[in-house]
Amino acid sequence: MQVYLNGQYLPEGEAFISPADRGFVFADGVYEVIHAYDGFLFCNDLHANRLARSMSELRIEPPADFDMAAIAAELIRANELQSGEATVYIQVTRGAAPRGHAFPASGTQPTVYGFAKPFESPAELRKIGCKAVTAPDERWLRCDIKSVSLLPNVMAKQNAVDAGAYETVLVREGNVTEGSSSNFAAIFDNEWVTAPLGNLILPGITREIVLKLCEKLSIRVAENFIPSDSLGGAKEAMILSSTMEVMPVTEIDGKSVGNGRPGPQTRRIQEAFQQWIQQDRAFQA
Ligand code: PDD
């Protein structure tokens, strides 16, 4: 596997970072995950914009010639991932410096690391839907930044695995925020409801696309917090991410959502999402 590290493409076994890297010592870094379909990097520019925003919010200065979209494309090429599905991961940390909480001396080079690997799509699960459980959202108050500091997300995902579920839906002060690695939405009274943008959720790219698709499909949308105690009244539910795409949730905390099968609006959204990918691909070709 060829990875990218600080300006070079090299075999993974030859890529080394300093143990003093602030990504390692403080989780002081940000990242993106991009889904590739036969080499086509879906929403590559939106991921690049979000990474730039994450860096800017944390005052991480990228290298002068940093071009996330170009690195992602080259990782696909270098790893011969032009057919089938793949994911590209790109991470930027504040670089290696003697340990100290405050920012390191100016001029400290950020560390840029990226890799691409084949992706086994959860296509079968998308047909039948997945189970979710709820748990308290124990993250910090800047969930809008795609930081590599993911310990609460890791614990929440393991909580799902331990419960025999696929995702943990996080609840803060009685309201659903998002999944441990996904956005969450549900259908109530024919309205697609998802948490509003702000500091409590990641501005998901899949969420953004699905919002637009709902408008196209004449599905009413509301960006409102869903009280967790109203989840039982949801007709349909779904989790959204670049890797999961539009994943129906058919059970939450052991209780069926709707009739326990992916619902009609979820199906329409799934179909429209696939069409969107194909159109985007044709447009970029
Ligand atoms: N996670 N919310 C959280 C907390 C996430 O980690 C993710 C994505 C999303 C969905 O964002 P998007 O639609 O832009 O992928 C929402 C990625 C896939 C990950 O960490 O692997």
Side-chain angles (χ1 to χ4, degrees):
M1 179 161 90
Q2 292 281 312
V3 302
Y4 174 90
L5 184 63
N6 299 331
Q8 278 186 300
Y9 295 89
L10 69 178
E12 187 185 24
E14 293 173 21
F16 296 103
I17 60 158
S18 164
D21 194 281
R22 292 178 64 98
F24 181 56
V25 178
F26 290 113
D28 187 356
V30 295
Y31 76 107
E32 281 296 324
V33 177
I34 309 133
H35 195 157
Y37 302 85
D38 294 329
F40 167 64
L41 286 151
F42 186 52
C43 298
N44 206 9
D45 49 347
L46 296 181
H47 285 281
N49 291 346
R50 188 171 62 188
L51 186 66
R53 178 184 180 273
S54 294
M55 288 190 287
S56 152
E57 290 297 308
L58 297 179
R59 294 157 60 196
I60 293 175
E61 192 75 42
D65 57 353
F66 179 65
D67 182 345
M68 192 216 83
I71 296 168
E74 179 56 22
L75 283 169
I76 290 288
R77 204 201 54 75
N79 290 285
E80 297 176 4
L81 292 167
Q82 292 95 338
S83 72
E85 293 186 36
T87 51
V88 178
Y89 176 90
I90 307 275
Q91 170 172 345
V92 184
T93 77
R94 208 182 300 275
R99 186 178 182 278
H101 286 65
F103 292 174
S106 67
T108 302
Q109 281 306 302
T111 302
V112 183
Y113 169 61
F115 67 85
K117 60 175 188 186
F119 178 61
E120 184 99 31
S121 158
E124 286 308 307
L125 197 59
R126 273 201 298 271
K127 289 183 196 152
I128 58 171
C130 74
K131 295 179 187 174
V133 288
T134 58
D137 190 341
E138 294 174 340
R139 300 172 301 162
W140 71 334
L141 293 171
R142 290 304 309 273
C143 301
D144 54 312
I145 298 171
K146 202 159 171 59
S147 152
V148 294
S149 181
L150 287 170
L151 203 42
N153 307 64
V154 166
M155 299 309 284
K157 185 70 88 184
Q158 188 58 35
N159 170 62
V161 171
D162 292 345
Y166 186 71
E167 179 61 302
T168 290
V169 173
L170 302 171
V171 178
R172 195 190 286 269
E173 292 175 3
N175 290 323
V176 173
T177 52
E178 59 182 337
S180 73
S181 67
S182 59
N183 289 111
F184 178 84
I187 307 244
F188 293 90
D189 301 324
N190 288 320
E191 189 171 58
W192 185 87
V193 189
T194 195
L197 295 182
N199 63 318
L200 299 184
I201 68 162
L202 185 81
I205 288 165
T206 317
R207 173 192 179 280
E208 189 179 323
I209 290 169
V210 170
L211 256 171
K212 289 186 187 146
L213 290 176
C214 284
E215 279 158 28
K216 273 184 144 177
L217 296 169
S218 303
I219 298 171
R220 277 188 297 125
V221 302
E223 292 176 84
N224 291 329
F225 283 111
I226 301 170
S228 62
D229 61 8
S230 74
L231 280 173
K235 288 277 182 307
E236 306 181 30
M238 65 199 78
I239 47 176
L240 311 166
S241 84
S242 297
T243 48
M244 299 170 198
E245 302 177 359
V246 179
M247 173 68 75
V249 177
T250 49
E251 190 186 297
I252 301 176
D253 290 336
K255 292 186 209 88
S256 289
V257 177
N259 64 7
R261 288 197 296 276
Q265 305 301 351
T266 309
R267 289 283 182 236
R268 289 177 73 209
I269 294 168
Q270 282 183 314
E271 225 167 89
F273 189 80
Q274 290 308 319
Q275 280 169 12
W276 182 293
I277 297 168
Q278 296 316 324
Q279 278 165 13
D280 216 14
R281 232 172 118 165
F283 183 70
Q284 307 263 330

